[in-house]
Amino acid sequence: MSNGFKGLRLHNTLTRTKEDFVPIDPRNVRMYVCGPTVYDFAHIGNARPVIVFDVLYRLLRQLYGADHVTYVRNITDVDDKINARALRDFPELPLNEAIANVTRKTADQFHKDVAALGTLPPTFEPRATEFVQPRADGKADMITLIQSLIERGHAYEAAGEVLFDTGSMPDYGQLSKRNLDEQQAGVRIAVDAHKKNPGDFVLWKLSSPEEPGWDSPWGRGRPGWHIECSAMSAAYLGEVFDIHGGGLDLIFPHHENEIAQSRCAHGTDVMANYWLHNGFLQVEGRKMSKSEGNFVTINELLETEKFGGRNWPGDVLRLAMLMTHYREPIDFSVRKLEEAENTLRKWKRAADMAPDGATPVPAGIVDALCDDLATSSAFQLMSHLASQAAGDENEEAAAALKSAMLFLGFELQAAEVDEEAIAKAIAERLAFISAKDWASADRIRAELLEQGVQLKDGKDPATGERVTTWEVRR
């Protein structure tokens, strides 16, 4: 680890405690995060883990060196809806190629959207379809993993499916803290007759002649949901790696079943040493859903006026997402976006005073993030630097702020001035002055000053009327 920084501590979902982070190999710190299912455009809830784990990725690179961190984020393109569309639209092509055609547009849009959010590309971004069957390069694949589970007595064939036998794993449920007895007692519907246990889950299912599928020892079929991540993480990070991340909603069943598959296939005590999960997201105080009318994609926020009557810059979305600690629930709102935009405007104005040249990332920023990604503490320090830079024209503070912004993925160019909005605000202020509403007039002046716009009042020499001009205050 680089000298001068406190040790990294992360809240481990597996133990429900904050722990010192000790990598398996400091020369190759390894992290896996569940990525998008590229059936439709990514929504704002999908953006949260992308942004959160981008911050962790940047922090690990800072602590251990950019060349010593491997970050894998998968693309799920194995999905019955995707497969059916591929078969319908491209019947003449091999299945993997047909699926690639179907998902290319959605995956390209995802990459464009998350780049606008200031995120770095992961080291590897494998597609699930590339890891179904045994590979020429010998990397882990789904069929081989399933075979291993059968041979080790952890999976069985029944009714055209291959199922994981949860009863074969005594400590199944460690991550979610659910045991098999609780699952048995909580069953409210009839258990499929071919399952040994209610919690047994599908590893492989057969495809009908009308459904797409891959050849396997159990017949032509397709993988279950969970096995893909076990295969792709092992392919790039090994049987045991450092960090596995994702949303809170993935703890059960997805991550629980990943752990079961990986540990039982490889005979290991753990799959990953640290499990991190970001909290849920609401939109304007309600669960996001199309039926509620508050479902919004990243692209809609960036490119349309659907949310708040305007589009929003990617770095504003990024800051708004990070203002709430990653493990806490977040209420994504217009008000939060406006707050983030005002904060960024101040930061950019202050950072614009920095001299040319690189400055080390302030140790206080790194130390804050080393405390389980305490972004709010880091942002408080950045706002303090911005105040120092603006108040005293302190180039040292400006340079420190600039390096912190670059480190955390924020754009540095000065915020654009909205001349039309300024003119409207000045007109409103003049109307308040005419009405002798001095408090409202002073409020508008103060709000503009916070945005870096300095008002100057004077008189028209010919008429004697009040004239207000403005300038950008650097």
Side-chain angles (χ1 to χ4, degrees):
M1 184 180 291
S2 301
N3 293 327
F5 301 122
K6 295 179 181 177
L8 175 59
R9 288 175 60 79
L10 298 172
H11 186 274
N12 190 349
T13 307
L14 193 63
T15 61
R16 303 299 198 268
T17 60
K18 192 187 293 187
E19 302 176 2
D20 293 331
F21 175 70
V22 181
I24 298 167
D25 179 2
R27 297 165 300 177
N28 183 20
V29 182
R30 289 162 285 165
M31 178 170 71
Y32 184 92
V33 177
C34 292
T37 300
V38 287
Y39 180 68
D40 204 349
F41 283 13
H43 57 69
I44 190 59
N46 301 138
R48 193 175 194 192
V50 172
I51 293 171
V52 164
F53 291 103
D54 178 72
V55 172
L56 180 55
Y57 181 37
R58 290 170 180 271
L59 178 60
L60 292 171
R61 286 161 57 98
Q62 177 72 24
L63 297 175
Y64 295 96
D67 295 334
H68 299 291
V69 182
T70 304
Y71 173 24
V72 178
R73 183 182 66 213
N74 71 297
I75 287 182
T76 296
D77 56 357
V78 175
D79 178 273
D80 282 353
K81 292 180 180 178
I82 294 174
N83 293 348
R85 186 174 296 182
L87 187 66
R88 181 195 69 191
D89 295 348
F90 304 99
E92 73 285 357
L93 295 178
L95 181 60
N96 283 5
E97 190 176 337
I99 288 174
N101 284 353
V102 169
T103 59
R104 186 174 293 114
K105 177 182 177 182
T106 308
D108 288 349
Q109 187 64 56
F110 172 77
H111 291 138
K112 180 181 177 182
D113 290 345
V114 298
L117 298 176
T119 64
L120 298 171
T123 315
F124 300 104
E125 193 176 48
R127 285 174 170 261
T129 48
E130 299 168 353
F131 289 83
V132 176
Q133 296 176 306
R135 295 168 54 92
D137 61 8
K139 280 184 166 54
D141 65 272
M142 301 179 212
I143 286 177
T144 302
L145 274 179
I146 295 170
Q147 287 176 309
S148 177
L149 288 168
I150 293 173
E151 291 168 2
R152 289 171 173 264
H154 295 292
Y156 59 95
E157 295 181 63
E161 295 179 338
V162 180
L163 295 146
F164 182 89
D165 181 0
T166 51
S168 72
M169 186 180 183
D171 56 354
Y172 176 82
Q174 274 192 329
L175 184 69
S176 62
K177 309 307 180 191
R178 301 185 184 201
N179 60 46
L180 290 177
D181 290 338
E182 289 172 346
Q183 291 183 46
Q184 181 79 40
V187 171
R188 292 289 182 269
I189 59 174
V191 178
D192 291 337
H194 64 283
K195 287 188 176 183
K196 292 182 179 180
N197 310 286
D200 291 356
F201 56 90
V202 174
L203 300 171
W204 189 265
K205 50 189 172 183
L206 295 183
S207 296
S208 69
E210 294 76 30
E211 293 173 324
W214 289 262
D215 291 333
S216 81
W218 318 285
R220 182 175 169 277
R222 56 207 189 279
W225 172 27
H226 315 294
I227 194 68
E228 62 178 270
C229 289
S230 288
M232 288 184 283
S233 62
Y236 288 100
L237 303 177
E239 295 178 357
V240 178
F241 52 94
D242 296 300
I243 298 170
H244 195 312
L248 198 64
D249 57 315
L250 296 179
I251 292 177
F252 188 87
H254 185 51
H255 286 169
E256 193 72 82
N257 291 346
E258 277 188 57
I259 291 172
Q261 295 162 164
S262 295
R263 285 183 53 195
C264 291
H266 303 308
T268 59
D269 292 332
V270 295
M271 177 186 182
N273 286 331
Y274 303 85
W275 288 80
L276 274 65
H277 293 91
N278 61 268
F280 292 116
L281 177 140
Q282 291 185 323
V283 176
E284 298 288 1
R286 294 173 297 151
K287 181 178 179 180
M288 185 175 64
S289 70
K290 292 181 180 178
S291 61
E292 287 279 353
N294 63 349
F295 185 91
V296 61
T297 67
I298 303 170
N299 182 253
E300 286 172 333
L301 288 163
L302 292 169
E303 303 291 344
T304 75
E305 299 180 355
K306 178 177 179 178
F307 197 73
R310 53 164 290 192
N311 65 326
W312 300 92
D315 57 352
V316 171
L317 302 178
R318 182 181 181 88
L319 179 57
M321 195 71 76
L322 293 172
M323 285 161 58
T324 300
H325 189 265
Y326 80 94
R327 289 196 294 111
E328 298 298 322
I330 184 172
D331 184 16
F332 197 79
S333 64
V334 172
R335 183 177 179 181
K336 184 176 287 289
L337 289 172
E338 291 172 342
E339 181 184 352
E341 188 168 49
N342 286 333
T343 298
L344 274 172
R345 189 179 287 115
K346 295 174 189 175
W347 290 355
K348 290 179 181 181
R349 193 166 62 245
D352 195 44
M353 296 188 298
D356 293 335
T359 302
V361 180
I365 300 292
V366 178
D367 287 344
L369 296 177
C370 280
D371 183 15
D372 195 33
L373 304 186
T375 48
S376 60
S377 298
F379 296 158
Q380 286 176 4
L381 179 55
M382 290 168 70
S383 290
H384 178 68
L385 290 171
S387 296
Q388 277 188 307
D392 306 327
E393 296 188 357
N394 185 326
E395 289 190 347
E396 185 177 344
L401 176 62
K402 177 181 176 181
S403 68
M405 291 182 69
L406 282 171
F407 168 53
L408 283 168
F410 295 111
E411 296 178 1
L412 283 175
Q413 66 266 29
E416 294 181 4
V417 175
D418 188 338
E419 296 187 14
E420 184 178 341
I422 293 171
K424 181 179 178 182
I426 289 174
E428 290 177 353
R429 177 174 175 269
L430 290 175
F432 284 130
I433 290 173
S434 296
K436 300 189 184 315
D437 184 351
W438 308 111
S440 296
D442 289 345
R443 174 181 55 78
I444 290 177
R445 174 190 282 275
E447 287 175 351
L448 289 173
L449 188 58
E450 282 189 357
Q451 298 171 24
V453 177
Q454 175 75 60
L455 298 185
K456 294 184 177 181
D457 289 325
K459 288 187 177 180
D460 186 311
T463 65
E465 293 181 356
R466 181 188 296 265
V467 174
T468 302
T469 59
W470 59 273
E471 67 179 13
V472 176
R473 184 170 175 263
R474 297 295 183 187

